């Protein structure tokens, strides 16, 4: 994931140059466009380099916007729910889960033959208040394991990879190893990554375990 970020950053100028060419092409007369070869889908370009290409998507947009739905289907080889699998959306109350959004995205991915990525179990944001109120580390570990078992278990065999944790590095916080001084770190220390990875593997042994971050090029 980090290698891809660096690749994209180092080629930003080329990307903008190519984007400008695409915009220019959109302004060309129709006869010129008709005589030009069609642009390949982005997923096709990525596949030539043995990469997956996709988007973070929203279930409401997939369901209500036909152009959005068609564009994602034609260009993506993998998609990830932008917010629908974050704690506050999928597990808003201790005794209640809401799978409406992720179920809709999973159904779209199946229909279109697109891979699905899960996001995310451990993040310093998008946590409902009931989780943040848990002070006892033993109880919190139990809740985290149950959450992962329930969510990952529901989509077992459907999700190709999971961002087990998101943005856990923040050198500015001054913690050993550059760890972000997040809720999870304060309650469980660095163990929370171990706990999350182990719980995911138990819930879905074939899912690829990933870590997601961004902007690390400018960190020390």
């Amino acid at each position: 994931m980090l290698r891809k970020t660096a690749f994209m950053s180092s080629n930003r100028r080329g990307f903008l140059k190519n984007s400008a060419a695409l915009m220019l092409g959109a302004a060309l007369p129709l006869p010129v466009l008709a005589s030009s070869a069609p642009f390949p889908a982005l997923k096709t370009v990525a596949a030539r380099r043995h990469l997956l290409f996709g988007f973070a998507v929203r279930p409401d947009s997939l369901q209500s916007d036909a152009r959005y739905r068609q564009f994602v289907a034609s260009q993506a080889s993998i998609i990830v729910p932008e917010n629908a699998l974050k704690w506050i959306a999928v597990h808003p109350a201790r005794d209640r889960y809401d799978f409406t959004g992720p179920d809709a995205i999973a159904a779209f991915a199946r229909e279109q033959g697109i891979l699905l990525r899960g996001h995310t179990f451990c993040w310093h944001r998008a946590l409902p208040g009931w989780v943040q109120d848990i002070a006892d580390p033993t109880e919190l570990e139990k809740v985290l394991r149950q959450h992962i078992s329930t969510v990952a278990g529901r989509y077992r065999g459907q999700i190709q990879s999971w961002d087990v944790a998101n943005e856990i590095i923040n050198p500015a916080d001054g913690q050993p190893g550059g760890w972000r001084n997040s809720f999870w770190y304060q309650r469980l220390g660095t163990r929370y990554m171990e706990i999350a990875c182990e719980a995911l593997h138990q819930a879905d042994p074939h899912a690829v375990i990933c870590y997601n971050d961004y902007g690390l090029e400018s960190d020390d």
Side-chain angles (χ1 to χ4, degrees):
M1 192 71 175
L2 300 182
R3 290 181 61 192
K4 290 184 187 177
T5 302
F7 174 82
M8 291 171 67
S9 177
S10 65
N11 289 278
R12 186 170 297 159
R13 183 175 298 176
F15 173 78
L16 293 174
K17 185 177 179 181
N18 291 337
S19 298
L22 289 174
M23 292 170 65
L24 176 62
L28 292 174
L30 286 177
V32 175
L33 286 177
S35 64
S36 302
F39 290 107
L42 292 171
K43 61 184 177 184
T44 303
V45 177
R48 292 171 186 164
R49 292 178 174 267
H50 308 289
L51 296 172
L52 296 171
F53 175 84
F55 310 97
V57 298
R58 299 180 179 181
D60 53 341
S61 298
L62 286 175
Q63 294 172 321
S64 64
D65 189 334
R67 292 182 64 189
Y68 177 92
R69 184 181 179 93
Q70 189 279 329
F71 185 79
V72 172
S74 65
Q75 300 295 323
S77 50
I78 189 168
I79 56 174
V80 55
E82 183 177 7
N83 296 308
L85 279 171
K86 290 172 181 171
W87 277 78
I88 202 165
V90 78
H91 199 175
R94 186 161 191 159
D95 59 350
R96 181 167 66 89
Y97 287 86
D98 184 355
F99 292 108
T100 307
D103 277 359
I105 294 174
F108 172 79
R110 285 194 304 272
E111 292 166 6
Q112 302 299 330
I114 297 173
L115 294 176
L116 185 59
R117 186 184 189 95
H119 177 85
T120 178
F121 293 129
C122 296
W123 192 31
H124 58 284
R125 299 176 63 184
L127 282 171
W130 72 268
V131 176
Q132 298 181 64
D133 289 341
I134 301 174
D136 179 57
T138 302
E139 182 186 1
L140 182 61
E141 177 178 344
K142 180 180 178 181
V143 166
L144 177 58
R145 288 183 182 275
Q146 288 177 338
H147 174 87
I148 294 174
S149 176
T150 301
V151 177
R154 182 180 183 88
Y155 300 104
R156 181 182 177 121
Q158 299 179 60
I159 290 186
Q160 180 258 6
S161 52
W162 269 98
D163 290 329
V164 170
N166 191 46
E167 300 167 15
I168 70 171
I169 297 172
N170 191 31
D173 284 354
Q175 300 302 310
W179 286 74
R180 183 184 295 274
N181 192 25
S182 66
F183 164 81
W184 297 106
Y185 181 83
Q186 290 169 13
R187 297 291 195 278
L188 298 172
T190 61
R191 288 182 56 247
Y192 76 84
M193 273 290 288
E194 224 178 291
I195 293 166
C197 290
E198 183 181 286
L200 172 59
H201 186 66
Q202 290 175 350
D204 190 350
H206 298 293
V208 179
I209 298 175
C210 300
Y211 164 66
N212 185 61
D213 216 311
Y214 81 106
L216 297 183
E217 299 93 335
S218 60
D219 284 337
D220 295 332

